[in-house]
Amino acid sequence: MIVGDLLHLDDLDIRLAWGTPDLLDRPVTGISSTDLQDPARYLQPGELVLTGLVWWQPADASGALRFATALRSAGVAALLAGEGTHGSIPDRLADACRTHGIPLLAVPAGISFRAVTDRVYLRLWGDLRAGAQDTAAIPETVRHDLLDLMHAGAAPGEVLAHAVGRLGVPDCSITTAGGRAVATTATPVPPAGRGDAGLPVGPQDGSPFDGWRLRPHVRAAAVEPMLQALADLLAPLAARDRAAAGASRRAAGRLLEALAGEGGLAEPLAACGLGEAEALVAVTARIDGGRDDGGRDGGGRIDGGPDGGWPDGNGDGTPAAWSAHALAEALHPLGVPYAAGTDRAGRAAALVAAPADRVAERLRRARPALQARLTGRRTLRVGVGPAAPPSPAALRAALVQARYVLEGSAGPVGSAVELDSLAGLLRGIPPEVTAAFHARLLAPLVTHDRENGVSLLGTLAVFLDHDGSWARTAESLHIHVNTVHYRIRRIEELTGRNLARLQDRLDLRAALLCAPEPAPAR
């Protein structure tokens, strides 16, 4: 598809506001809707940009030029501007597009953006596939019926059921790459066999959690060509879903950015479908992994092991983007509003309108299947924060707790409600800090134990484990109680702490918990 094809889409009445013949020959790779003043970071090269011009303010003389500059920096194919908000396309916008060489097309007020988006993807992934050789395996009448259903906005389940019934192929399911069932003609959906990834449906971006697969419940060589043709024909549905998922991630990203700033949340919450939520659970995720396990912040590039890293072709090949995809895959079956995306710092997070225990249980159930999609030494980790009212301060605090739990959880999925011990609290502190605290309080004991045959560290641990009982400590260590008294006095001399005081006991207990490994008792 090229930009000029938009002028010939039936019933849309899209008009050319400005553009030269050579610009109308630009190839189109997709379509994205936005009303941000600077949407560059959310766009991909070759995309059409669809805007309702909500951002346009007549008093802002340079607004149109800033917007066009952002589009040029992103390498978009063309701009489609809706006339519903202002009645016509502003002259300044046309001038800005002319300055930057961006084709400008007008969308009449009566045309919905959903109709434009659907027609573009039908053209990209339906009409262009119609002439491919492998679609000949599907009768022409069936092919036209399926395209008509998709054009009418039919759900994937309806289209798949119609296809299976008309073609006489075995029951099939459409699943995501992460294993979630999108549609099926028979339940339960059989588990995928080893090495059976199914037939790709529509665009695939390289993420282990993104993209659709067509999976027949029974494999038969005789119908493989027809199933392959069906997978090709269903591509518009996958492309439509991918566009919707991309829009959701962008809306979630704007919400997370709003939380990091000082702006209001009403609009970004509403854009994510969370405007009516009374409380939201904060979730954060990260994919660790690599030869040296070095990139743990989730924002930088992480070496992915033997396959050499992360694909970057379309902007979704980063640890944070993959983590956001994984969160969306896991949370979707809850059937509640949620927003999953990445913030400007490159961290994946989600806000979910469901109780915290339900969210944590769902993530624990979903994680094994998602983890199985990762290769090499990559590991998916998730932290679930508490429920919080939808106010900036409360949600920021909930996200901080979720990130802390992610760092400190002993398992791959941690929850803030489980953060109920000193040991659990300390696990979330950076290891450089805990190591320094351990050394600051206990270095004299470490030096003593290295030079002597008696472990004062071990004695201290047992003494604290037995609540400061001399007798039970002596019994546990198989030594005389007088020896315990001597060792404790020596510990107090070396550390400058008084083990009769609760505060000093707590400090030394925390220092012991900060040790890389517990010291053995002798």
Side-chain angles (χ1 to χ4, degrees):
M1 181 180 184
I2 60 174
V3 173
D5 292 334
L6 294 164
L7 302 175
H8 307 292
L9 295 178
D10 296 339
D11 305 324
L12 294 186
D13 296 326
I14 295 175
R15 307 186 315 277
L16 179 65
W18 181 84
T20 60
D22 59 315
L23 294 178
L24 295 181
D25 284 336
R26 285 180 173 177
V28 173
T29 61
I31 186 167
S32 181
S33 299
T34 185
D35 268 307
L36 294 176
Q37 176 71 67
D38 182 4
R41 68 187 298 261
Y42 299 107
L43 304 175
Q44 301 294 328
E47 280 189 325
L48 301 170
V49 176
L50 187 59
T51 180
L53 297 178
V54 175
W55 55 268
W56 162 254
Q57 298 294 330
D60 185 358
S62 61
L65 188 60
R66 290 199 306 271
F67 184 78
T69 301
L71 300 189
R72 181 182 180 182
S73 68
V76 304
L79 173 63
L80 286 79
E83 297 180 316
T85 302
H86 299 285
S88 63
I89 295 179
D91 291 338
R92 288 178 185 169
L93 181 59
D95 292 340
C97 288
R98 186 179 295 108
T99 297
H100 285 301
I102 300 172
L104 176 61
L105 293 86
V107 180
I111 302 298
S112 73
F113 283 7
R114 171 65 185 271
V116 176
T117 300
D118 286 355
R119 292 301 301 279
V120 168
Y121 277 113
L122 279 170
R123 180 62 185 264
L124 279 172
W125 301 105
D127 294 348
L128 289 182
R129 297 295 300 179
Q133 183 176 358
D134 52 11
T135 60
I138 294 181
E140 189 69 12
T141 55
V142 177
R143 189 178 70 82
H144 278 297
D145 286 348
L146 295 175
L147 287 175
D148 287 343
L149 276 175
M150 290 186 282
H151 178 58
E158 181 182 354
V159 177
L160 182 63
H162 188 85
V164 169
R166 291 289 304 275
L167 296 174
V169 295
D171 283 317
C172 294
S173 297
I174 297 174
T175 65
T176 64
R180 175 173 57 86
V182 176
T184 184
T185 59
T187 54
V189 178
R194 190 175 185 84
D196 179 17
L199 301 169
V201 178
Q204 309 291 311
D205 71 353
S207 164
F209 311 120
D210 199 23
W212 282 9
R213 305 288 192 273
L214 176 65
R215 289 184 44 226
H217 294 186
V218 177
R219 301 305 293 257
V223 296
E224 283 293 317
M226 189 174 293
L227 290 173
Q228 181 61 65
L230 177 59
D232 291 335
L233 197 59
L234 294 175
L237 294 178
R240 181 186 300 165
D241 179 80
R242 187 186 185 196
S248 296
R249 286 194 296 271
R250 289 191 291 270
R254 292 193 289 271
L255 173 57
L256 295 173
E257 289 178 6
L259 279 175
E262 300 298 330
L265 293 185
E267 184 175 341
L269 281 171
C272 294
L274 299 172
E276 303 298 323
E278 296 182 358
L280 296 171
V281 170
V283 182
T284 187
R286 188 185 67 225
I287 296 177
D288 293 336
R291 293 185 182 92
D292 58 1
D293 227 7
R296 296 194 58 198
D297 63 355
R301 186 176 179 84
I302 299 179
D303 188 346
D307 50 356
W310 304 82
D312 289 328
N314 63 1
D316 282 344
T318 66
W322 283 20
S323 301
H325 286 178
L327 283 179
E329 276 289 290
L331 296 171
H332 190 277
L334 282 173
V336 299
Y338 69 88
T342 58
D343 63 15
R344 192 175 291 274
R347 297 174 297 197
L351 296 172
V352 193
D357 56 350
R358 185 181 172 202
V359 173
E361 175 61 24
R362 172 60 205 163
L363 289 167
R364 289 192 180 97
R365 290 177 56 191
R367 185 192 172 276
L370 297 172
Q371 177 62 40
R373 297 292 305 166
L374 296 173
T375 59
R377 295 169 55 192
R378 294 171 180 152
T379 302
L380 174 65
R381 297 179 58 83
V382 182
V384 181
S391 69
L395 290 179
R396 278 196 291 266
L399 280 169
V400 169
Q401 292 185 63
R403 292 171 187 141
Y404 193 89
V405 170
L406 182 146
E407 296 293 343
S409 174
V413 179
S415 174
V417 299
E418 301 165 355
L419 196 61
D420 56 2
S421 68
L422 178 60
L425 187 67
L426 292 174
R427 278 197 297 268
I429 299 175
E432 295 83 359
V433 176
T434 56
F437 182 75
H438 175 269
R440 190 174 301 118
L441 270 68
L442 301 179
L445 303 187
V446 173
T447 301
H448 173 277
D449 291 355
R450 188 184 305 120
E451 299 173 351
N452 296 273
V454 174
S455 174
L456 293 184
L457 282 173
T459 301
L460 175 62
V462 174
F463 182 74
L464 295 176
D465 285 343
H466 289 89
D467 303 319
S469 169
W470 309 97
R472 284 187 290 151
T473 301
E475 181 181 358
S476 177
L477 292 176
H478 306 291
I479 58 178
H480 194 277
V481 69
N482 289 342
T483 304
V484 176
H485 280 275
Y486 168 77
R487 291 186 182 182
I488 295 302
R489 284 198 302 272
R490 187 67 178 133
I491 290 170
E492 291 176 333
E493 291 172 359
L494 291 172
T495 62
R497 303 292 175 130
N498 181 357
L499 285 170
R501 296 182 64 247
L502 177 60
Q503 183 62 54
D504 286 352
R505 289 189 188 186
L506 289 175
D507 289 345
L508 293 175
R509 164 61 76 186
L512 286 170
L513 291 172
C514 289
E517 293 182 4
R522 294 183 183 179

